[in-house]
Amino acid sequence: MAEEIIIVQGNGMLRGEVAVSGAKNSALKLMAAALLGQGESVIHNVPYISDIEIMGEVLHCLGAHIVRDGHALVVDTSAVTRCETPYELVSKMRASIAVLGPLVGRFGTARVAMPGGCQIGARKIDMHLVGLEALGVHFDVDHGFLEATTPHGLHGASVMLEFPSVGATENLLMAAVAAEGTTLVENAAREPEIVDLANMLVAMGARVEGAGTSTIEVEGVPLSSLHPCEHTTVGDRIEAGTFLAGGALMGGPVTVRGIDPSFLRMALMKLQAMGCDVQTGDGWITVARTGALLPTDIQTLPHPGFPTDLQAQFMLLAARAEGSSVITENVFENRFMFAAELGRMGADITIEGHHALVRGVKGLQGAPVSATDLRAGAAIVLAGISAEGETRVHHIEHIDRGYEDYVGKLVSLGADVRRAPADVPVSC
């Protein structure tokens, strides 16, 4: 397929309502969890994004049968017999490492290719391995593959995570539900997606308490006690935050629906600090702005801190604020690559280590730019909407990994945005 780009004609327009899709970072792990059900599970509110397609291919290679019915996935894992995931798929998406926990939980063994994904940092899986080793898993590395075995079976243990890693917490939960005894995960990730996964596991017959807090307790059950279930994915808080940032940048009002406002408390606080009016209700958030954007300092932290996945969108807001802001990235070391692309459009950003000094400018100019990662790609399109002239965004495959019909939703809010072949002539 020929490369596509997104062409943006800056018109400064984003206004109206938009429905967010199911959370990418939840749906991927729910699909992996279906391996433990040993039958036909139904997962609702699954977004149409390329990462979901890749995870579907990973599960298919293991022997699963997957049928999509609109935004519902029917995942039948009754015929799964293989325990090896191919490098060709895993290297495309880091989240596919999530099959490690459920494969070990179901079969006591797994052979999983080392993961890939966005180039925004090392994102090592050491904590996954250390935690699973405490449960009785033995690992060998063979030509780029992790080979997991359980010589003496899975058993409960007390695990203290060095960092509240979402992926490590998820893999531990999916292995521990089938371990003998009780597992205590301390310093666990507290993200809403962890709660969503725990709720699905409980619907499958697992015993999990404390999800959403820093201490999660899992009482293992026999594998035969786990069964398929029906579950609905929570709304995507990062997609919601992206559209809210767009509303804040352009003035709005923009209303996002299908999202629990509590998922975005810190981001909403920062929007208010930057001079925006924020209203919330049951399943919706509205942002609007009539005055100037105000500068603010932001540091990314694990939930409930400011999410790293919204750092680029808020760097864009800071780039248009009246004054200087400092953004500190504490999660992924390479996530400031976005700053150089925004600089091509006239932003004034200085990077020093994991700090970015952002001096607000009066306006941005359209330019040829690249999506350096998933969230930066979404943010650079918003920058183009607010800029003067035409912006051409390359490498939009990153955006397709996590945003369903991003262009269509922006158009519904009034933006002048379209997809086109990369070789379409430049307007003169």
Side-chain angles (χ1 to χ4, degrees), residues 53-336:
E53 294 178 7
I54 294 171
M55 182 60 88
E57 292 178 36
V58 170
L59 295 179
H60 177 75
C61 284
L62 295 173
H65 182 64
I66 300 175
V67 176
R68 183 183 271 277
D69 181 10
H71 285 92
L73 283 187
V74 180
V75 184
D76 187 350
T77 63
S78 56
V80 170
T81 55
R82 296 190 64 198
C83 299
E84 178 176 331
T85 59
Y87 170 78
E88 290 75 14
L89 294 175
V90 178
S91 62
K92 295 179 182 179
M93 183 186 67
R94 185 183 186 280
S96 49
I97 193 67
V99 300
L100 177 60
L103 284 177
V104 168
R106 178 167 171 177
F107 298 107
T109 185
R111 191 169 192 264
V112 179
M114 298 292 279
C118 281
Q119 301 304 307
I120 57 173
R123 303 204 284 183
K124 297 178 180 177
I125 61 170
D126 299 14
M127 282 180 284
H128 299 239
L129 308 188
V130 171
L132 290 171
E133 283 175 342
L135 300 185
V137 183
H138 174 76
F139 288 101
D140 289 306
V141 178
D142 178 43
H143 298 284
F145 282 81
L146 280 172
E147 293 192 344
T149 56
T150 50
H152 306 291
L154 282 173
H155 55 76
S158 180
V159 180
M160 170 72 79
L161 292 178
E162 180 181 339
F163 177 86
S165 160
V166 173
T169 301
E170 290 165 338
N171 259 326
L172 277 169
L173 291 185
M174 289 188 281
V177 294
E180 183 178 351
T182 300
T183 298
L184 199 66
V185 184
E186 298 181 85
N187 199 25
R190 299 165 61 185
E191 274 73 2
E193 294 80 15
I194 296 290
V195 179
D196 202 24
L197 173 61
N199 287 341
M200 178 167 168
L201 291 172
V202 169
M204 297 171 74
R207 297 175 181 174
V208 182
E209 294 185 356
T213 75
S214 58
T215 301
I216 302 177
E217 184 174 316
V218 183
E219 183 181 343
V221 299
L223 185 63
S224 58
S225 297
L226 297 175
H227 52 76
C229 74
E230 191 165 353
H231 181 81
T232 300
T233 313
V234 295
D236 195 315
R237 61 194 171 99
I238 304 304
E239 183 191 9
T242 300
F243 285 114
L244 292 172
L249 182 65
M250 261 64 79
V254 168
T255 297
V256 294
R257 296 196 178 275
I259 188 67
D260 185 337
S262 69
F263 291 179
L264 286 166
R265 287 181 60 191
M266 185 61 69
L268 299 184
M269 287 172 56
K270 290 298 180 181
L271 286 174
Q272 290 173 320
M274 298 185 84
C276 299
D277 176 58
V278 177
Q279 303 293 328
T280 63
D282 185 13
W284 61 268
I285 306 168
T286 299
V287 65
R289 177 180 59 83
T290 54
L293 272 170
L294 305 177
T296 191
D297 294 342
I298 290 171
Q299 59 174 326
T300 64
L301 290 167
H303 191 79
F306 190 89
T308 182
D309 280 351
L310 287 177
Q311 183 252 96
Q313 298 89 318
F314 276 71
M315 179 180 283
L316 170 59
L317 293 180
R320 291 298 315 280
E322 290 189 354
S324 296
S325 305
V326 176
I327 297 178
T328 302
E329 176 56 60
N330 294 310
V331 182
F332 295 139
E333 65 268 27
N334 292 339
R335 205 151 209 175
F336 283 151

Side-chain angles (χ1 to χ4, degrees), residues 333-357:
E333 65 268 27
N334 292 339
R335 205 151 209 175
F336 283 151
M337 291 188 296
F338 168 71
E341 298 304 305
L342 200 53
R344 292 174 56 81
M345 301 179 71
D348 184 354
I349 304 171
T350 302
I351 305 298
E352 296 182 4
H354 63 119
H355 304 285
L357 174 60

